[in-house]
Amino acid sequence: MASTTTENTKAAEKPSSGRTSALVTEQGTTTIADTVVQKVAGLATREVRGVHDLGGGTTRAIGALRDRIPGASSSIGQGVSVEVGETQAAVDLEIVVEYGVAIAELAIAVRRNVITAIEQMTGLEVVEVNINVNDVFIEDDTDDQQAPNRDRVQ
């Protein structure tokens, strides 16, 4: 009989299957759309010094075309994909870094900023932030590069 009493006590101590968090309470549930988390992550990533742009080559080319269309708005979520559950979110980022920036340190700063922004604004727990660095931005001085070409051939 002692074992039965112990098992009942352990069962009573287990929390109920209904999880409570800032988003899931006894009074109701708050749902955060994927696009909300995507925009928050995109803005938080762009705030970090050393991030030049977001998105892969094709995404940036389409974004450049979109910027030329009158009345079209640029996508803040460009280069950001997210998975959002009831209480957790995962983020994947594609970024272009500025030349000379330490990529490992930049990744740490981006992760910290994205996690902080999402958790503070949405109440979701961020379980991972994956960063894909797909290009390095090198500032070109077009005047300096054209001058040697003109002097080369007369």
Side-chain angles (χ1 to χ4, degrees):
M1 272 223 193
S3 63
T4 308
T5 307
T6 306
E7 289 173 15
N8 290 340
T9 305
K10 286 182 182 177
E13 290 174 354
K14 289 183 182 178
S16 63
S17 61
R19 295 181 301 203
T20 59
S21 72
L23 298 173
V24 180
T25 66
E26 292 178 5
Q27 289 83 26
T29 302
T30 303
T31 305
I32 309 289
D34 291 6
T35 55
V36 172
V37 177
Q38 184 181 30
K39 287 180 181 182
V40 170
L43 289 169
T45 302
R46 285 179 173 84
E47 288 176 351
V48 178
R49 187 178 194 157
V51 174
H52 176 72
D53 205 356
L54 273 84
T58 305
T59 306
R60 290 195 322 267
I62 292 170
L65 285 173
R66 187 185 313 116
D67 290 342
R68 292 183 181 159
I69 298 171
S73 61
S74 61
S75 175
I76 294 172
Q78 171 182 305
V80 181
S81 61
V82 298
E83 289 181 45
V84 180
E86 282 186 20
T87 59
Q88 296 180 329
V91 180
D92 295 322
L93 302 169
E94 290 189 33
I95 66 172
V96 178
V97 300
E98 295 176 359
Y99 177 77
V101 173
I103 294 174
E105 292 175 15
L106 179 68
I108 291 168
V110 167
R111 274 191 189 91
R112 184 181 321 119
N113 208 42
V114 168
I115 290 169
T116 301
I118 291 172
E119 288 183 349
Q120 285 182 352
M121 289 190 69
T122 67
L124 293 168
E125 175 192 5
V126 179
V127 292
E128 65 181 23
V129 176
N130 299 311
I131 300 172
N132 180 22
V133 178
N134 57 27
D135 203 357
V136 175
F137 174 75
I138 302 170
E139 186 145 5
D140 32 287
D141 298 325
T142 53
D143 295 336
D144 293 342
Q145 290 180 355
Q146 290 176 0
N149 291 340
R150 283 187 247 139
D151 294 336
R152 184 173 174 194
V153 179
Q154 295 182 0

